[in-house]
Amino acid sequence: MDADSNDLFATEEAVELYDTRAQEPELFIQERKAIERYFRSDGGRVLDVGCGVGRVSHLLHERGYEITGIDISEPLVAKARSLFPDIDFRVEDVRDTPFDSVSFEYAIFSYFGIDYVLPKAERIRALREIHRLLKPGGILVLSSHNSWHPFVPLSVRDLGMALKDVYDLYLRRKNRERIGSPYKIESVPLGEIEIYLTNPISQWIQLCECGYTPLDVLGTHDGFLRFVDRNPHYVARK
C-alpha cells in the first residue's frame, strides 16, 4: 500500500466509516458464496488481509474459524481490537509479514483491498507473500475492481454505479490521460485514491503467475453475469 492510501485509511473519518460497515450482520453475497463453497465448515486458520475494523474477521469468527486479522492502518486495528477483543488483530504489511510459511488454511482479502497495493510489482509481491503463508491446498479469496462492469450494468442500482464509474474512472480530467492504463484515481467516501484496475481475465492470469490455481469468479449473480460484477471475488488454490 502506498503512502497516500495509508494516510487516507488512518484518519478518524476512516475509523468511523469502517466502524459503520462492521455493523453489517452478514457477509457480502460474494464473500458468503466463497466461504460456503470453498471453506471447510469445521473451521481452520484464516488470515484476514486488510481487515479494517474487523467486519469479515468477526463474522468468520462466529462461524468457528480461527482468525488473524492484519491491516497497515494502526487506527483501524486499534478499533478492531476494541470491538472484537477475542480476535487476534495485528498491524502488519501484507507484502512482508512475520508469519511462518504454510501457517494458514485460508486467506481473504476483501473490499478491493488488493487494488490499493501499488504499483503492480507490489501487488504481485503481496499475492506471493500470501501464497507463502498458505498451506498446500490453501484457499485465497480476493476482491478487485472490474473494468468490465461499467459497460454491462446488472440492475437499476448498478446502472447508477456504472455511470458513476464511467465518469470517475474514464471521463474525469485526472483520468483522461490514464486511458489505457490500469492505474486510475477513484473517488471514494474518504477522498480520492489511486487504484489498480483489472478484469477477470487479467486477474486470472495474474493469480497463475503468482503460483495459484484459479478456481472461480464469484459475483452477486451466477452464470455469465458474474464476470461483469462490479466487485468480483476470485477464488484460487495454492
Side-chain angles (χ1 to χ4, degrees):
M1 189 174 292
D2 65 4
D4 291 341
S5 58
N6 188 23
D7 291 343
L8 195 68
F9 292 112
T11 63
E12 291 184 9
E13 291 79 7
V15 174
E16 292 175 1
L17 176 63
Y18 277 75
D19 186 21
T20 299
R21 291 175 177 169
Q23 310 310 313
E24 291 285 338
E26 298 181 352
L27 295 163
F28 296 159
I29 293 173
Q30 301 96 316
E31 295 165 346
R32 189 175 71 249
K33 288 179 179 179
I35 303 307
E36 293 176 353
R37 296 178 187 179
Y38 295 99
F39 284 29
R40 291 173 57 94
S41 60
D42 57 354
R45 194 174 182 200
V46 181
L47 180 66
D48 182 9
V49 184
C51 63
V53 302
R55 179 186 65 85
V56 172
S57 292
H58 91 91
L59 291 172
L60 291 183
H61 184 260
E62 289 179 350
R63 290 177 177 235
Y65 295 96
E66 180 185 350
I67 310 297
T68 299
I70 64 171
D71 202 293
I72 202 168
S73 169
E74 293 185 17
L76 292 182
V77 170
K79 185 65 175 181
R81 288 169 174 163
S82 70
L83 289 173
F84 310 110
D86 294 335
I87 300 176
D88 179 19
F89 292 107
R90 308 184 189 188
V91 178
E92 299 290 353
D93 187 332
V94 67
R95 295 168 294 187
D96 184 19
T97 71
F99 306 113
D100 292 336
S101 298
V102 298
S103 293
F104 298 91
E105 281 84 13
Y106 310 101
I108 184 165
F109 203 161
S110 60
Y111 217 76
F112 307 122
I114 188 68
D115 295 339
Y116 307 128
V117 183
L118 304 173
K120 179 182 177 181
E122 296 302 303
R123 179 188 182 97
I124 296 296
R125 184 181 170 195
L127 289 173
R128 288 179 172 159
E129 175 66 358
I130 296 171
H131 187 276
R132 180 184 72 82
L133 299 177
L134 285 171
K135 296 181 179 181
I139 296 294
L140 167 65
V141 178
L142 175 75
S143 162
S144 183
H145 290 80
N146 187 358
S147 63
W148 293 351
H149 166 262
F151 308 105
V152 190
L154 303 178
S155 65
V156 173
R157 178 183 180 278
D158 271 14
L159 175 60
M161 292 302 300
L163 293 174
K164 179 263 185 190
D165 285 346
V166 168
Y167 171 75
D168 193 28
L169 301 178
Y170 297 98
L171 301 181
R172 208 158 52 104
R173 179 176 297 177
K174 288 187 177 182
N175 282 322
R176 287 177 196 165
E177 62 186 26
R178 295 170 178 249
I179 295 296
S181 169
Y183 300 100
K184 307 292 184 184
I185 303 296
E186 183 185 27
S187 297
V188 297
L190 296 174
E192 293 187 338
I193 189 169
E194 187 173 20
I195 65 169
Y196 181 89
L197 187 63
T198 187
N199 61 60
I201 289 179
S202 60
Q203 187 57 66
W204 194 275
I205 292 171
Q206 191 174 90
L207 287 167
C208 290
E209 292 174 342
C210 292
Y212 297 90
T213 299
L215 300 177
D216 209 347
V217 180
L218 302 172
T220 54
H221 299 73
D222 291 322
F224 171 78
L225 293 179
R226 71 189 192 275
F227 295 108
V228 292
D229 198 274
R230 187 173 191 266
N231 184 13
H233 283 53
Y234 302 90
V235 183
R237 177 182 290 121
K238 176 176 177 178

